[in-house]
Amino acid sequence: MSLRYLTAGETHGPQLTALIEGLPSNLQLDFEELNFQLLRRQKGYGRGRRMQIEKDTAQIVGGVRHGRTTGAPVAIVVANNDWKHWTSVMNIEPIEGGDEAKRRVHRPRPGHADLNGGLKYDLKDLRNVLERSSARETAARVAVGAMARQLLAAFGIKVAGQVIRIGDIEAPPNQLPADELARLTEESSVRVVDKETEARMEAYIDQIKADGDSIGGIVECVVEGVPVGLGSHVQWDRKLDSRIAGAVVSINAFKGCEIGIGFEAGILRGSQVHDPILYSEERGYHRASNNAGGFEGGMTTGEPIVVRGVMKPIPTLYKPLASVDIDTREPFTAQVERSDSCAVPAASVVMEHVVAWEVAKAFLEKFGGDSMEEIRRNYDGYLEQVRGY
């Protein structure tokens, strides 16, 4: 069975819910690690007041017993603490009162799903759109990805991320191992390794906030320990790099993805781009460089996966852009909802988890079994086959 998940819930509703199907039995879970990943998503310089309200923890309500998965669907709930302030507005039952009581939204924000969703679903209250399209939903996706991350960790596969750029400020490049990268970025308010860059980014975000504006950036995810051969060249929808790219741009406000050196490959010669193949008794087949970001022909090469995503500035501005009132069709400034001036550091954490999910999904497609023990046998047998090639 293929690994898959669904999420449900609104930003000001009672909870976010995720349902995962396809996890094998006997995966030993670390609940502290699961909640640590949710906490990481809440951090980051430039976050708004909402993250001071929420204390995200994952409650597993199905599919796990005595610390291990059973093979049944896993259900996860992440409660919204802010729900207590919205119980009337977001109640599933009809409520009395006018637009003010219902906190109706009728002035769409440029850059958000508000207007498109209202037109598509014929909704006259755009709150019905923004409540679901809000990035609050990524808390459920991080919880899901954290489960996948623990599956990968059981086979020595490590995931780490960092911020590459916020607006005009770019961090110096590094080639740090995943463990070191994770440790250093966890100590940073903006998830960069370089402390001077961190200070500059903080000051830059402060200025953006003072201007009533928002700012985006570029984040990177690295996955180490991935075996050769995840994904496939035989059909377009089995190429793992393609699936990862799709997952990355599915994150709220993400507008692009690149693998390895990405768009730089369009300005270099082939001799500067392609990674020479080497062989040694110790490492087997490997590459002299990793410009391809761990992929050739839609399949992993055994080198680290390197993925970057670009996040646009958040569309909610405290000095709003021009919009049109859907009631009167007259020009109006867009409605203001509580938001962040910069969510790039948090987006880095979200991207780690959507990438981890896609890698775990491909891992189970390759080594699939109903239990961790069966997967381990399949995995060990494949590694022996590759070593003898």
Side-chain angles (χ1 to χ4, degrees), residues 40 149 152 157-164 176 178 181 191 218-224 226 244 248 251 254 257-260 290 293-295 303-310 347-359:
R40 293 179 65 226
R149 193 175 187 137
L152 294 174
I157 299 173
K158 301 174 181 179
V159 183
Q162 63 181 327
V163 170
I164 299 297
L176 293 172
L181 183 62
R191 299 203 175 278
I218 298 172
V219 297
E220 179 180 87
C221 176
V222 178
V223 187
E224 284 184 356
V226 182
I244 287 174
V248 168
I251 303 169
F254 273 61
C257 176
E258 62 178 8
I259 311 291
N290 191 27
F295 286 100
E303 301 296 329
I305 294 173
V306 181
V307 185
R308 294 185 196 90
V310 57
S348 174
V349 176
V350 176
M351 194 175 89
E352 287 179 37
H353 288 85
V354 302
V355 171
W357 175 267
E358 293 301 326
V359 175

Side-chain angles (χ1 to χ4, degrees), residues 90-111:
M90 294 301 295
N91 201 301
I92 63 169
E93 299 291 339
I95 68 168
E96 300 297 326
D99 286 356
E100 186 174 345
K102 296 176 182 178
R103 299 285 295 272
R104 178 171 172 263
V105 175
H106 51 94
R107 296 183 219 132
R109 292 162 292 173

Side-chain angles (χ1 to χ4, degrees), residues 3 7-8 13 33 47 62 65 74 88 117 121 128 141 188 207 210 256 278 319 345:
L3 192 61
T7 71
E33 171 66 17
R47 300 305 303 274
R65 184 167 182 259
V74 174
S88 175
Y121 290 99
N128 292 329
R141 297 182 71 180
S188 169
Q207 184 59 56
L278 307 175
K319 291 183 179 178

Side-chain angles (χ1 to χ4, degrees), residues 105 131 166 219 232 363 369:
V105 175
E131 286 288 335
I166 293 178
V219 297
S232 178
F363 188 90

Side-chain angles (χ1 to χ4, degrees), residues 67-181:
R68 293 177 181 268
T69 54
T70 65
V74 174
I76 305 175
V77 169
V78 179
N80 289 333
N81 287 342
D82 206 19
W83 159 247
K84 59 181 175 283
H85 301 121
W86 293 79
T87 52
S88 175
V89 174
M90 294 301 295
N91 201 301
I92 63 169
E93 299 291 339
I95 68 168
E96 300 297 326
D99 286 356
E100 186 174 345
K102 296 176 182 178
R103 299 285 295 272
R104 178 171 172 263
V105 175
H106 51 94
R107 296 183 219 132
R109 292 162 292 173
H112 211 284
D114 300 345
L115 181 58
N116 292 342
L119 292 168
K120 176 178 173 64
Y121 290 99
D122 196 22
L123 296 168
K124 303 306 187 291
D125 183 353
L126 302 181
R127 180 162 299 284
N128 292 329
V129 179
L130 72 87
E131 286 288 335
R132 178 59 184 171
S133 64
S134 164
R136 175 69 184 152
E137 187 263 353
T138 61
R141 297 182 71 180
V142 168
V144 166
M147 299 284 281
R149 193 175 187 137
Q150 292 196 31
L151 172 67
L152 294 174
F155 295 91
I157 299 173
K158 301 174 181 179
V159 183
Q162 63 181 327
V163 170
I164 299 297
R165 171 187 286 273
I166 293 178
D168 292 337
I169 302 173
E170 186 172 11
N174 66 75
Q175 301 290 328
L176 293 172
D179 283 342
E180 185 75 356
L181 183 62

Side-chain angles (χ1 to χ4, degrees), residues 43-46 162-166 185 187-195 197-203 205 219 342 344-346 348:
K43 295 179 179 180
Y45 205 80
Q162 63 181 327
V163 170
I164 299 297
R165 171 187 286 273
I166 293 178
T185 55
E187 298 171 355
S188 169
S189 64
V190 288
R191 299 203 175 278
V192 296
V193 172
D194 182 64
K195 287 299 181 183
T197 302
E198 178 184 287
R200 292 173 60 213
M201 284 181 173
E202 285 186 355
I205 292 168
V219 297
C342 179
V344 175
S348 174

Side-chain angles (χ1 to χ4, degrees), residues 18-35:
L19 186 66
I20 307 173
E21 189 175 37
L23 282 173
S25 67
N26 297 329
L27 171 61
Q28 180 74 49
L29 295 178
D30 183 334
F31 301 109
E32 288 187 6
E33 171 66 17
L34 174 57
N35 287 323

